[in-house]
Amino acid sequence: KKKKGKKKGAGSGSKGVDLSEYALTRELVDRYAKDDFIAVSFGNLAYLGFIENWVKHLQDLGVENYLVGAMDDDCLRALIESGTNVFSMSHSFPGQDFGWGSKLFYKMARAKIRLIRQLLEMNMNVMVSDVDTVFVTHGQRMHWGSFTFRII
């Protein structure tokens, strides 16, 4: 069931928005980080359903200190439109599946590593997960060091 009202997020519509405003900067990260902690994931348009599920489960737990890296412009526009806390990772990735083990897959993997490094250089504590991860507990509101992990 959808909640009524405007979501707290990166934007209230993507029409007429300068996508360059969504570059990963300290100012953008500070909008969403809590106590220098941010949960981060990433994906392209092919994974939009997974991204929406990842965000929904965090929001259901009351977690707002997250960011999603959009790996293509169509994904970025969709996430802006939905009010997701989003930043642009690249304009060079296609919107289709990367194909595990392909050259494009490894290019995406390197982009994720650069993203993590960039956030760490901002002195952020970062929890990174893929968008096919589902959170079922908030771990004391996503504070660093408060998690108990179980691998299923």
Side-chain angles (χ1 to χ4, degrees), residues 43-48 50 71-72 93-105 108:
N44 66 358
L45 191 62
Y47 291 89
L48 186 59
F50 284 103
M71 299 183 97
D72 64 88
F93 286 102
Q96 76 255 15
D97 188 89
F98 294 115
W100 194 91
S102 69
K103 287 182 181 182
L104 188 58
F105 176 85
M108 175 270 304

Side-chain angles (χ1 to χ4, degrees), residues 26-76:
R26 178 64 195 230
E27 179 182 57
L28 184 135
V29 173
D30 281 344
R31 268 186 245 159
Y32 304 109
K34 181 176 183 180
D35 300 324
D36 291 330
F37 180 82
I38 193 83
V40 178
S41 197
F42 20 73
N44 66 358
L45 191 62
Y47 291 89
L48 186 59
F50 284 103
I51 294 168
E52 291 168 340
N53 187 61
W54 187 84
V55 169
K56 180 194 179 306
H57 279 85
L58 288 177
Q59 289 176 336
D60 286 352
L61 295 169
V63 175
E64 296 180 8
N65 54 320
Y66 72 88
L67 272 169
V68 175
M71 299 183 97
D72 64 88
D73 288 349
D74 290 335
C75 183
L76 180 60

Side-chain angles (χ1 to χ4, degrees):
K1 187 175 179 179
K2 284 212 169 224
K3 295 178 183 176
K4 294 184 179 182
K6 186 176 176 178
K7 292 181 185 177
K8 182 180 178 183
S12 60
S14 62
K15 291 183 171 90
V17 172
D18 180 2
L19 299 182
S20 68
E21 294 176 13
Y22 292 89
L24 185 63
T25 63
R26 178 64 195 230
E27 179 182 57
L28 184 135
V29 173
D30 281 344
R31 268 186 245 159
Y32 304 109
K34 181 176 183 180
D35 300 324
D36 291 330
F37 180 82
I38 193 83
V40 178
S41 197
F42 20 73
N44 66 358
L45 191 62
Y47 291 89
L48 186 59
F50 284 103
I51 294 168
E52 291 168 340
N53 187 61
W54 187 84
V55 169
K56 180 194 179 306
H57 279 85
L58 288 177
Q59 289 176 336
D60 286 352
L61 295 169
V63 175
E64 296 180 8
N65 54 320
Y66 72 88
L67 272 169
V68 175
M71 299 183 97
D72 64 88
D73 288 349
D74 290 335
C75 183
L76 180 60
R77 285 185 190 94
L79 293 173
I80 291 168
E81 187 66 31
S82 71
T84 300
N85 303 348
V86 64
F87 68 95
S88 176
M89 280 185 73
S90 171
H91 303 287
S92 63
F93 286 102
Q96 76 255 15
D97 188 89
F98 294 115
W100 194 91
S102 69
K103 287 182 181 182
L104 188 58
F105 176 85
Y106 289 113
K107 179 181 176 184
M108 175 270 304
R110 288 187 300 274
K112 289 171 23 177
I113 292 166
R114 283 190 300 274
L115 157 72
I116 296 163
R117 180 179 174 195
Q118 192 174 355
L119 289 164
L120 291 173
E121 287 173 348
M122 292 179 192
N123 292 316
M124 284 287 140
N125 294 303
V126 183
M127 183 194 71
V128 180
S129 74
D130 288 332
V131 293
D132 58 357
T133 302
V134 174
F135 295 93
V136 294
T137 185
H138 59 60
Q140 296 192 342
R141 301 279 184 222
M142 303 289 275
H143 283 256
W144 188 250
S146 64
F147 292 100
T148 301
F149 292 100
R150 289 180 288 176
I151 299 174
I152 301 174

